[in-house]
């Protein structure tokens, strides 16, 4: 069977892997680079946002979550670009711009990071 010291070492290694070094770094998903848009107007249309995003590159994936109760947009969206340069351009270009009278903010989406509540 596994002896105590081996499992201890493994635990120790996992701990060191789980460092906070990656914090603030963009995370590449399997498909591409994902940016997180906040400040999205509740009546925003998916195609209108896609038009804006498409100026910066090819959008592989787009999510505009709706509130089930109201049917309105929850206020955020996720867009996935094929190339990091495209995602970075979209970030810079979209952050702090006005769209439907609200101000959009763009940041990197952290993939697989536990949500802090």
């Amino acid at each position: 069977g596994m002896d105590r010291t081996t499992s201890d070492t493994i635990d120790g290694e996992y701990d060191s892997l789980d460092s906070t070094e990656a914090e603030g770094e963009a995370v590449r998903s399997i498909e591409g680079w994902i940016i997180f848009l906040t400040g999205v107007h509740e009546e925003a249309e998916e195609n209108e946002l896609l038009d804006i995003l498409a100026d910066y590159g090819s959008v592989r994936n787009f999510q505009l979550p709706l509130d089930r109760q109201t049917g309105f947009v929850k206020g955020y969206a996720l867009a996935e670009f094929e190339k990091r340069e495209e995602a970075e351009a979209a970030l810079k270009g979209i952050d702090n711009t006005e769209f439907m009278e609200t101000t959009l903010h763009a940041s990197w989406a952290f993939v697989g990071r536990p949500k802090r509540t």
Side-chain angles (χ1 to χ4, degrees):
M2 268 194 66
D3 87 23
R4 173 60 55 177
T5 49
T6 325
S7 66
D8 281 351
T9 334
I10 291 169
D11 288 344
E13 278 167 23
Y14 278 128
D15 287 346
S16 63
L17 282 177
D18 193 24
S19 74
T20 51
E21 268 176 71
E23 204 128 344
E25 278 295 305
V27 180
R28 190 182 195 287
S29 74
I30 294 159
E31 295 86 23
W33 298 90
I34 299 175
I35 65 171
F36 186 56
L37 299 177
T38 55
V40 179
H41 193 280
E42 62 175 17
E43 292 178 40
E45 296 284 336
E46 195 164 311
N47 54 3
E48 294 172 342
L49 285 163
L50 276 169
D51 279 352
I52 297 172
L53 291 159
D55 289 345
Y56 301 98
S58 69
V59 179
R60 295 274 295 263
N61 205 333
F62 182 70
Q63 286 170 359
L64 184 65
L66 299 179
D67 187 302
R68 285 206 196 91
Q69 249 80 59
T70 64
F72 285 123
V73 172
K74 280 187 173 179
Y76 65 92
L78 289 158
E80 185 179 291
F81 287 90
E82 208 161 322
K83 301 191 179 79
R84 181 174 181 143
E85 308 82 75
E86 296 173 341
E88 278 176 349
L91 264 184
K92 293 190 183 104
I94 294 169
D95 193 38
N96 280 317
T97 58
E98 252 194 36
F99 172 69
M100 292 179 71
E101 296 168 11
T102 66
T103 304
L104 289 176
H105 294 283
S107 59
W108 291 112
F110 293 100
V111 183
R113 257 253 212 99
K115 287 209 174 81
R116 303 240 166 84
T117 43

